[in-house]
Amino acid sequence: MAQAEQALKVKSSGRFWRRLKLLTESPIGVAGAMLVLFWVFVAIFAPWLAPYDPNANNYEALADPLPNDMFLLGTDNQGRDILSRIIWGSRTVLIVAPVATFCAYVVGCILGLLSGYYRGWVDSVISRLADILLSFPAIVLYILIIMRLGPSAINVIVAVIFVASPQIIRIVRGITLEQRELDYVTAAKMRGESAIYIMLVEILPNTRGPLIVDSCLRMGYTTIQIGVLGFLGLGLPPPDPDWGGMVQETYSMMSTWPHMSLYPAIAISSLVVGFSLLADGLREISLRD
Amino acid sequence: MGAFAARRLAALIITMMVVSMLIFAAFEWTPGQVASKMLGPFATPEQVELLTEQMGLNRPAPVRYIEWVGNVLKGDLGYSTYFKTDVNNIIWDRLGNTLLLASIAFAIIVPCSIIFGVAAGMREGSKLDRTISVLSIVTTSVPEFASGVFLATIFVIILEWLPGASTLESGGDWSIASQLVLPVAVMVLFDLGYVVRMVRAAMVDVMMKPYIRTAVLKGLGFRKVVLGHALRNAMVVSLTVILLQINYLVAGVVVVETIFAYPGFGHMILESALSKDTATVEAATLIIVLIVVITQIAGDLGYMWLNPRIRFK
Amino acid sequence: MSSPATLRKTAAVTVAAKPILELRDVKISYITRAGRIDVVPALSFSLAKGEALGLVGESGCGKSTVAYAIMKYLGGAGRITNGQILFNGQDMASMSEDQLRQIRGSKLAMVYQDPMSSLNPTMRIGRQLEEVPMLHMKVGREEARQRAIRFLGEVNLPDPELIMERYPHQLSGGQQQRVVIAMALMAEPDLLVMDEPTTGLDVTVEAAVLDLVAQLRHKHDTAIIFISHNLGTVLRVCDRVGVMYFGELVEEGPIKEVFANPRHPYTRGLLDSIPTMGADKHSRRLSPIAGQVPSALARPVGCGFASRCSFCEPATCTTVPIPTIAIPGEARHQAKCVRLSELPPHRRFQVVPGEATAEIAKSGETVLGIDHLYKIYRPSGTIFDSKPAEVRALTDIELSAERGRTLAIVGESGCGKSSLAKVLTGIEVATQGKVKLIDWEIGHVPVEKRNQAQKKSIQMVFQNPDSTLNPSHTVGFAIRRALQRLRGISASQAKTQAAELLRLVNLPMEFVNRRPRQLSGGQKQRVAIARALAGDPALIIADEPVSALDVSVQAAIINLLIDLQDKRDATLVFISHDLSVVRFLADHVAVMYLGRVVEYGTVEQVYAPPYHPYTEALLSAAPVAEVGKERERIILEGTIPSATKQIPGCPFASRCPRKIGSICDDQPPPEHVTQQGHRIACHIPLGDLAKLNTRAAE
Ligand SMILES: Nc1ncnc2c1ncn2[C@@H]1O[C@H](COP(=O)(O)OP(=O)(O)OP(=O)(O)O)[C@@H](O)[C@H]1O
Ligand code: SF4
Ligand code: SF4
Ligand SMILES: [Mg+2]
């Protein structure tokens, strides 16, 4: 098995570079990648980039929170520097969203493979459960789960798993159902490979194409969901900055101080647009090769 | 088709049973919690125990589940601790308000998504296609609360054309119609792009099919090829996606309703969830899931009707 | 370039009437990311009214490209970058969209390869047909409908009125193709372009469609361009043939002359690689064409075929452009080869005794014994889906295969060939009956439960080269993994043995690091064969291993299978629908129809009278690429009944041209067995069958 993994690694890195080179041919994909990379850079270097402590209250600024030379994007309703909060907020979202998406993928791939490979009652049980979860509108499911478990980063991740993995199960199951009928799987069975080997080494690598595009889209979608949870007051507990929460805290002051809501709204929109454009670029090149 | 409908009905009943069990298990399994939620944070353990006893909450869970289901089936949805009235008194008005919003949005989304999606997908890679595609990617990528902020900044604060809140109270400065504009706009912006892309993808796929080539090489004009041969096939695929939007429009509007203080169903779920009003949340969830499952069945039936491969087996 | 000039001169001399279609120096290119590919560099030919020209050649040599260029429908990437296509004397490049629309479908019509996907799935057949006259003849719906019904009758579809109301999926493949042909003929076009119209249809259905085309073309006096990779089908329909290689017409002429006396080395190569109906592996070797079509990105100066030509002389062949030369003494026959006059005369079916497989005495030991085998698929319904009907895939199969010999199984699609393979390999288990492999009973043992020795003893080669290898794994990984699993050896040993296996299937060592998408179809099949050989199996099941390959490559794979069988004394179960390949390769043959073996015997027995009526029909339907060997065809009516039905009598009764009465419908036919072991299941006694067969042959 170790050998198989190694073989997989060598190959996927080769494909990775090929894809990267191809991506430069899609202007939309490049634009998306730039936006995403910009925020990744900001998140990594947040301590150096942020001019102030994101949670420090500057009470003098309360009187005039508008942007000025000291506070480039102004201050919020508690006198905190909006620029610093946006910079630190990028960390929150860029950690929670990928981790949550990844966990959803692990769950979704395992259950999707099992369901598509074994079919029969295993498939019935898994697919039914997925269907039932899918018949809850996503936002209602989020509200129910957070209401039951309480708001925290871990629970946001749990909620994302419940919402996203049924869709991933569907995709992986569909591909598995198709692949398991192909001759190379029959050949593997005939040389006595175990079911686990066939699922992980033979079938899983071939789901990669559609999943790369999907994961990128899903990352954007998860970012929206995390923002929405923050906006509804179900996200991370204060005072740590989170873009959705920043809008929620200041939204009631829209008519007087629109900048407090506007800048975090722009931040989250640009990141999600980045993910979506990148996904579209990837989709475009995946059709080509 | 009749046998199919019957089977789907059976599936619907089973799904609803499982969903109700899940909801019940999630919220009412541990009886003490319900009582303490009702009494609030300052209740003593004795008070909680007493109430638990009075409400019969210490009986076995299956018994209480059956009782709850029985009540729901009789039309008794329970008492709302947040709204301080029977759930029935509040939930249907709210649902009505949301359906008003949802149906206006749906009436805009369906024709627009088909027109834009078909226009973009009929010539893949054309200027029109790229413009529509990028625009729809961008609009669906902006979260509703963000587009709410953007639209409010422009139309409420700068231009002062529209109200910032849509409480549906008449008699104020703003008519009901003007109050509906922004919420509908935000929903349409967020959802339309997604549906457009789905219709476009279906259309692109269909336009590459050999039967489209047959139609062109018959000598048909492009218009006839698109409208006569491609459209219906693209709709077969898109129908399900379009109908699924009803779910988003009915339940997913939580955010929009919260932004504009709109007295709708989604906002009600959020408020009651935040205040741990179990009865309301349970009832609302059941209704939502029922709506979703029914739309799914409608989608399947529509798919069968549009797709002769299934209709004439 | 001097060649087009020469060609035009010859054309001008010989074509008396004004041609319907004329191509002059046509250059067709695709614009890709790698740059502009000139797929067709300079093509010239012309077609007179009512004439039928066949275009043949290997996959990828530009046949379809030419067809779609004529229709002016090359997609976004394709361009005609030079030359002219004249249709009825008018240059198509100068036509406006409107003018094009007026001739497409009326003067110029097309029939496509895959009829199912060429018809709109959500539109009734009637509507799709009516469109044509309504558009081009400006008639009303009712008149269009009458015309549609008339043409459906003309393509021999029963109950045209009923067909009009159907949707495409409710028709069989053969019926669908007839509908497409009717659609193309409705406006009485001057030219009909047919791109592989019978590829993918069963042999008996193909034969009927070909006959129909041959008959209709005379009736309507339509000129035809008929594209096929199968030389035999072209021979049935066309007067002239053009052999395409690498985008060029390397030989062109009257079809009988070209086939009987091929001049160009490529044409000779194509004809030599086809097994011919009288030959078997003991009389001769097949001669494949080495190598593959090169990439059109870098087109060489000289002859495009040079890299694969055994007559190539670099000094003359690869330095200057090659002219097209008229063959002296033969009208309108020309070839594109500089050494034409120096080539030795071609002798087609020469016997090369030294090379052929000697008839060695084999032990006669039975490796595989199949005894009263049944396979019934019983799909289980759930509460959410209703229960589908059961499918009777195999009924009472009785067969055996000897060590070192080849048992071939022939029949049309859906006859149960692949189900049999699945039961043997343990992918499915038998419903009833026994399968004995060497000493083990394996019919009811799924592959997961088979022991190491059993797995090792039986391996399989699959039909589709594109799915036989995992696209994510390298060639080396695939072979090493099989070696490790089946021989239980270490990784380093597996590495050396993998190299050994690659050599055995004639692949270079560098291929270990290649991925399937970097290989051609034939190369993928070789890798698959190497993988199957990893466990040194006693029994190899090959399910249509060559049907997805070009004839030139197919020959090499067949040779390889014969060699390996000789070297390793393995038993081969060879499943195929191609009767000439089976005739060439097999020792024993079983003919299957609807899940039953209707005839079984040695090759000599099965390919000589008495035939089972179905075998007889199959043999008469098989396209043969030999002039003078065409036979009187027995056209089968109707379609194969569904395998979900219980059939009390003979399974072939609904289509049998020799049916003798209600006894065929009501009573299962008895199995006549000769002393030599030849078995035929039919109500007609063997003696009478033999008489009927010989009378038909006369
Ligand atoms: N859209 C395209 N873009 C780039 N290259 C193409 C395109 N279509 C075909 N080709 C290339 O043009 C060449 C000729 O292809 P074409 O399909 O005409 O061959 P063919 O003789 O019809 O083959 P087959 O027997 O497989 O149908 C091939 O090398 C093919 O790869
Ligand atoms: S020109 Fe030379 S290389 Fe080309 S076919 Fe003739 S002999 Fe062969
Ligand atoms: S039994 Fe009758 S129907 Fe069957 S093959 Fe013989 S003659 Fe034909
Ligand atoms: Mg082709």
Side-chain angles (χ1 to χ4, degrees), chain C residues 264-265 303 305-306 309 311-313 317 322 337-339:
Chain C
H264 195 279
C303 176
F305 188 55
C309 179
F311 299 104
C312 175
E313 242 176 37
C317 298
I322 309 294
C337 169
V338 271
R339 304 196 55 215

Side-chain angles (χ1 to χ4, degrees), chain C residues 282-293:
Chain C
H282 306 300
S283 61
R284 74 174 185 114
R285 265 288 124 119
L286 296 178
S287 359
I289 305 176
Q292 49 186 306
V293 187

Side-chain angles (χ1 to χ4, degrees), chain C residues 42 72 346 506 529 544 631:
Chain C
K72 218 171 165 218
H346 181 245
N506 302 326
I529 291 172
E544 303 256 10
R631 344 170 156 219

